[in-house]
Amino acid sequence: MNDPVGPARSLCLIGCGPRGASIVERILANVPALYGDRPLDLHIVDPYPPGAGRTWRTDQPGLLWMNSAAEQVTMYPDESVECAGPPRPGPTTAGWLDAPLHDGAYAARRDQGRYLRHFFETVTRERPASVRLYVHRARAVDLRRTPAGAAPGGRGRQQVILDSGQPPFLADRVVFAQGHTDTLAAPAPAGLTRIGPGPADPAALAAVPPGARVLVRGLGLVFIDCLALLTEGRGGRFVRPAPGGPLRYLPSGREPRLYAGSRRGVPLPPKPAYAPPAGPRAASAPAGTTAPAALAAPAAPAVTATPTAPAAPRFATVDACRAVLSRPGASFGGEVWPLVVAELGWCHYRALFAGQPARTRMSWPDFDAQYALLHPDADRLAKLAREAVPDPADRLDLARLADPLAGLRFAGPDDLQHRLRGLLAEELRRRTGPASGVATALVDGLRLAGAVIEELWRSGELSAGQLAEALDHFALGTYLSSGPPPLRAEQLLALAEAGVVTFVGPGMRVSPVPGDGGVPGGGDVPGGGDVPGDEALPEDRASESAPRRAVFRATSPALPGTGYEADILLDARLAAPDPDRVTDPLLRALLSRGELVQERPGDDAAGMLRLSGADLHPVDSTGTVHHDRTIAGPAQFPRPHTNAVYFRQNDAIARALLADG
């Protein structure tokens, strides 16, 4: 650490995972042009290693993988990024690791952490000589204005107070980049255990007894992580008895029994099979790790040719969305979402016509021309699709894709398990087989449209209500495009077939049932097939058994008369925003004083911090904008060569921090 020499502006980033590290890079890249050789102090505050942060720390189990292909992740803003600051070309995660990847495309999360730490170390090592870097491996617990900085709007210096016992330091401008914030879990009733919500916790999961019944709430990426730790992490093995055939799971006997459900009741569909730009990669672990042979993916089928993904949207463009939003009383759902639906339909049919022309009965030029004319009229567009695509299964049905079990009732638990295993197998065929180009095109369309909506939001063109409405609609995009690697989905199917995972059904409801000192139903170790003591419980079973311990009970309206009981509830999902339960001490302090404000519960945007617009300054309870504070929320990793909004916004934040005035 350098000794202070002369007066210097002091910038502070609280949180230095990927978002914070990218802003650091943009600050350092812009210093020569905007700040010259004037002294600048740059403070980094994070209890975890800078660059990786908590989520990507390098000491986590190698069984936890990324869900983005490593070739599609970069921290380096290349020449495609349209921003005022200079580019800094560099390798993708795959290019830097230069090693085989899981399922042919995916890095372990800890190896992504190595890439992120290398990125931070590289850009800070090459910083201008005028920049003095201070890394505080601590947690910020408060931010107090000095008397000179207490004027409305926040001009002047702020004291950053740490939990490490180090003396507070002064900062002129502060960026909040803590990523996803944790919330306190609701307490479990006496005698019961609750794990989560939040990312998979290896220590908490390790304490789950072998054979224990566990209710799991959530079927997304946290669920997939928990599965890996509770099965392979306990010595179970996946094997492929025949080359190219289905996986089978061989239990170790140490697994718990998992009863899993969610609102949809269906796990996330897997990512479409990734086709690397060069030759295929072998499916094994990155350098420095060991992967079981069962991680090897089956031989990739020959994929029918599909058109290259468009570089930009055709219908849901920034200009088109701006035009409809300018109408008086415009809502996201009424004006913008129809453009997004038209975009997704065009991507879907373009890939279908190119990759499976035998399943259509119209030339693509004719269909394309009519689609462009009819896209504002959903009914006429549906008629065109019926004329051009004879099989309803080949037409885009977003409602069916978004909620495959909607309105269904099942005769019993076996009926539900059979249906869900069939859905999992069908999704794997659709996303990894010869017709996977259609699913890939839909995911590409969601990515392009999502980037447009993100640009409108980050430029301040969406009100809080419109943003909340956009997030609600784009939950479909999260569901369809944010799933696990295909091999993880195949492993889930194998676990379901082995009886390790039982699906509860859609609309899962969990409630504690008081007990009277007895013991809940058995906890047999899974070994595949039907296991005595593992049947679903009729609704009146709880009242028949005496005495009984308190239990958690899970039911689904799609499976009337059936429930599942356990004394452990695993909330395998990220927590919803709740200002009263935030664990971050700095956020708690600022919320308690009204210096940060979350939108009111009655608003569509409930839970989001109130910000000033595109410049991302917080607005306090009096309506005052704090211009010397910036809230940089979490964001997905950017793709190379896509003019990513992520880099453009980080560059704008950095330049604002360095600007005079």
Side-chain angles (χ1 to χ4, degrees), residues 7-264:
R9 174 175 295 178
S10 177
L11 307 179
C12 175
L13 274 83
I14 298 175
C16 196
R19 190 72 190 274
S22 178
I23 294 172
V24 167
E25 185 277 324
R26 289 289 81 198
I27 291 171
L28 299 176
N30 280 285
V31 161
L34 293 185
Y35 215 66
D37 58 1
R38 288 179 288 172
L40 177 70
D41 290 344
L42 181 56
H43 293 266
I44 308 297
V45 178
D46 197 318
Y48 297 96
R54 179 187 64 175
T55 301
W56 306 99
R57 63 189 185 277
T58 56
D59 62 349
Q60 60 190 300
L63 284 169
L64 303 180
W65 300 355
M66 297 183 70
N67 74 315
S68 295
E71 192 64 53
Q72 296 178 340
V73 172
T74 186
M75 286 294 288
Y76 293 89
D78 54 44
E79 289 81 358
S80 73
V81 180
E82 298 173 0
C83 64
R88 185 194 292 266
T92 63
T93 298
W96 183 78
L97 288 174
D98 193 26
L101 299 165
H102 293 290
D103 203 10
Y106 300 89
R109 208 170 292 166
R110 66 187 184 189
D111 289 310
Q112 174 68 4
R114 291 171 47 222
Y115 169 75
L116 294 168
R117 290 179 67 173
H118 171 79
F119 168 79
F120 178 83
E121 291 162 2
T122 298
V123 300
T124 55
R125 184 173 60 246
E126 298 171 356
R127 69 185 183 273
S130 58
V131 178
R132 297 174 293 196
L133 180 67
Y134 302 86
V135 176
H136 307 270
R137 291 290 297 275
R139 194 179 306 275
V141 296
D142 207 351
L143 192 60
R144 294 279 186 174
R145 295 198 174 279
T146 63
R155 295 294 184 183
R157 292 199 143 190
Q158 308 166 71
Q159 265 195 343
V160 182
I161 301 170
L162 308 176
D163 67 353
S164 61
Q166 301 174 51
F169 62 87
L170 295 175
D172 297 288
R173 295 173 184 177
V174 177
V175 178
F176 296 74
Q178 297 103 313
H180 292 284
T181 57
D182 289 338
T183 61
L184 294 169
L192 301 180
T193 300
R194 181 174 179 179
I195 302 172
D201 183 341
L205 294 174
V208 174
R213 292 172 176 249
V214 180
L215 299 183
V216 185
R217 185 158 49 188
L219 293 173
L221 295 175
V222 176
F223 169 63
I224 295 296
D225 287 344
C226 293
L227 273 187
L229 296 173
L230 291 170
T231 57
E232 280 188 286
R234 294 190 173 200
R237 293 189 300 120
F238 292 97
V239 298
R240 200 180 301 280
L247 279 184
R248 293 289 179 260
Y249 181 68
L250 303 181
S252 68
R254 298 167 54 211
E255 301 87 348
R257 284 199 166 282
L258 304 174
Y259 301 90
S262 65
R263 181 178 63 80
R264 285 189 180 89

Side-chain angles (χ1 to χ4, degrees), residues 334-349:
E335 277 70 34
V336 177
W337 186 245
L339 294 174
V340 174
V341 171
E343 190 70 45
L344 299 181
W346 184 75
C347 291
H348 172 93
Y349 291 114

Side-chain angles (χ1 to χ4, degrees), residues 476-654:
L476 167 69
T478 300
Y479 172 68
L480 293 177
S481 63
S482 299
L487 183 56
R488 284 298 196 216
E490 194 180 5
Q491 290 172 346
L492 170 57
L493 178 58
L495 290 168
E497 290 173 339
V500 177
V501 174
T502 298
F503 296 107
V504 172
M508 177 184 182
R509 299 167 186 159
V510 177
S511 57
V513 178
D516 51 15
V519 179
D524 303 277
V525 176
D530 296 328
V531 181
D534 194 45
E535 74 278 7
L537 303 175
E539 290 285 8
D540 59 356
R541 170 92 168 257
S543 62
E544 294 175 356
S545 303
R548 290 180 62 81
R549 280 174 50 187
V551 292
F552 289 111
R553 184 175 179 82
T555 59
S556 165
L559 200 59
T562 299
Y564 298 91
E565 295 181 352
D567 56 4
I568 300 174
L569 172 62
L570 170 57
D571 261 322
R573 55 185 182 170
L574 298 180
D578 184 345
D580 295 327
R581 306 189 71 82
V582 170
T583 60
D584 187 298
L586 174 60
L587 296 182
R588 288 184 67 85
L590 298 179
L591 285 164
S592 69
R593 297 199 297 267
E595 294 178 41
L596 290 177
V597 176
Q598 289 189 303
E599 299 295 343
R600 294 181 297 275
D603 294 344
D604 290 336
M608 292 186 289
L609 291 175
R610 193 174 300 167
L611 303 179
S612 60
D615 52 16
L616 304 178
H617 299 317
V619 180
D620 69 18
S621 58
T622 69
T624 300
V625 177
H626 290 252
H627 295 281
D628 56 356
R629 296 175 179 174
T630 301
I631 308 293
Q636 293 183 334
F637 283 114
R639 289 190 179 198
H641 312 298
T642 60
N643 189 25
V645 178
Y646 178 94
F647 289 130
R648 285 183 275 149
Q649 186 183 46
N650 291 348
D651 190 72
I653 289 172

